[in-house]
Amino acid sequence: MTKNKRARQTKILSELESRPTLRVSELATRLSVSQETIRRDLDALTREGLIDRTYGGAMRRLNAEPVLNERQMQKVPERQAIARAALPILRGAQHLMLGSGATTTHVARRIAQEMRDITVMNHSFATATALALNPTIDILMVPGRYHPSEGAMHGAETVGFLETMRADWAILGASGLSSEGPSDVLLEAGSVYAAMARRAERTMIVADASKFDLVSPSSWARWARVDVLVTDRAPGGALAEALEQASVTVEVSKA
């Protein structure tokens, strides 16, 4: 029986990755809970915009988050400013792990402009392409299963490879930043980010303020594992309290 609500909802999303639609009765059997519990879970996931309800069941909402190519066109000034603010923190590092995403692609461009003679391990073709503009950067593309909409490698092979490596910094994005920690819409991305955070001496999250107080299905770290948040606006409320309690440094970019 899957008792934890978040674990159960993550399992529902995972089931919907392999099958386009599932019925309430089928999900209840698979997860060994009542149909009423499943209906409440489906209602919650619908409110988060991750699924669509169907008659007697649910289907995974396609592109619950805009694909990478679309996100690259959004909030460009904010992401450029975040990238500029991130680079001074990374000076002196020799080995980096870089996650996928629109903001991390902007960071990759700044790394290519400002850093030399470093190694960057990444699973995103967009970040690798940006880094390739600097011939002094050794780009290590990790293996895995290709995710077309994200342009990145995910899966057991990706995580297994990362577990054999180490880095000075992991630089990661997020779909949501809540008092519990960073999270991602893509379950596969969350697994990769968690591995990078484990294998790096320090972890930096780069994300704009639109991610504040949002919770996505894949919760991949607690704030205690994060060292720096680089963003475009100071957080407040419960998120700010959680960051302070975990001693996370918040760097606010300047336009």
Side-chain angles (χ1 to χ4, degrees), residues 4-171:
N4 179 273
K5 180 173 70 174
R6 180 51 65 182
R8 193 171 57 244
Q9 292 175 2
T10 299
K11 179 65 174 174
I12 290 170
L13 291 173
S14 179
E15 293 285 345
L16 288 170
E17 285 286 346
S18 58
R19 296 183 58 183
T21 62
L22 283 169
R23 297 186 63 79
V24 168
S25 57
E26 189 175 5
L27 285 167
T29 300
R30 286 172 180 254
L31 301 181
S32 301
V33 295
S34 70
Q35 292 188 26
E36 186 57 31
T37 296
I38 292 296
R39 290 190 185 94
R40 287 196 296 269
D41 287 336
L42 297 181
D43 288 341
L45 291 170
T46 300
R47 287 193 296 271
E48 291 182 33
L50 299 174
I51 66 170
D52 286 321
R53 291 299 301 270
T54 63
Y55 183 76
M59 62 182 292
R60 183 71 182 263
R61 180 172 293 177
L62 297 178
N63 299 331
E65 184 177 58
V67 298
L68 181 60
N69 286 341
E70 295 176 14
R71 302 201 311 274
Q72 295 281 24
M73 306 300 293
Q74 301 168 354
K75 296 185 177 293
V76 172
E78 292 89 343
R79 286 170 170 151
Q80 289 175 335
I82 288 170
R84 287 195 300 270
L87 261 291
I89 302 170
L90 300 174
R91 287 199 182 113
Q94 294 296 307
H95 301 90
L96 305 177
M97 289 180 176
L98 190 57
S100 63
T103 307
T104 49
T105 301
H106 283 284
V107 174
R109 291 173 185 152
R110 296 299 300 190
I111 290 172
Q113 293 174 27
E114 299 187 24
M115 300 183 76
R116 294 178 55 85
D117 303 316
I118 62 172
T119 298
V120 183
M121 292 159 266
N122 67 108
H123 68 127
S124 162
F125 285 92
T127 58
T129 300
L131 293 166
L133 296 174
N134 185 334
T136 75
I137 296 177
D138 185 16
I139 303 166
L140 182 58
M141 195 75 195
V142 303
R145 186 179 298 275
Y146 183 65
H147 193 289
S149 67
E150 194 67 10
M153 309 302 281
H154 295 129
E157 297 89 350
T158 309
V159 172
F161 180 85
L162 289 168
E163 292 290 0
T164 69
M165 308 301 290
R166 66 155 301 280
D168 302 309
W169 280 95
I171 305 127

Side-chain angles (χ1 to χ4, degrees), residues 124-252:
S124 162
F125 285 92
T127 58
T129 300
L131 293 166
L133 296 174
N134 185 334
T136 75
I137 296 177
D138 185 16
I139 303 166
L140 182 58
M141 195 75 195
V142 303
R145 186 179 298 275
Y146 183 65
H147 193 289
S149 67
E150 194 67 10
M153 309 302 281
H154 295 129
E157 297 89 350
T158 309
V159 172
F161 180 85
L162 289 168
E163 292 290 0
T164 69
M165 308 301 290
R166 66 155 301 280
D168 302 309
W169 280 95
I171 305 127
L172 308 169
S175 301
L177 302 174
S178 73
S179 59
E180 294 185 358
S183 56
D184 204 87
V185 166
L186 287 176
L187 305 181
E188 305 93 327
S191 298
V192 174
Y193 297 167
M196 287 184 169
R198 285 193 299 271
R199 299 305 300 166
E201 294 295 325
R202 305 188 73 190
T203 296
M204 172 190 292
I205 293 178
V206 289
D208 65 82
S210 68
K211 311 299 175 63
F212 291 176
D213 303 314
L214 297 181
V215 180
S216 293
S218 183
S219 178
W220 52 266
R222 298 294 183 182
W223 287 118
R225 189 175 285 278
V226 176
D227 297 279
V228 179
L229 168 63
V230 185
T231 186
D232 61 330
R233 193 179 75 224
L239 175 57
E241 292 178 9
L243 292 166
E244 184 177 3
Q245 289 177 3
S247 300
V248 177
T249 299
V250 177
E251 183 71 24
V252 179

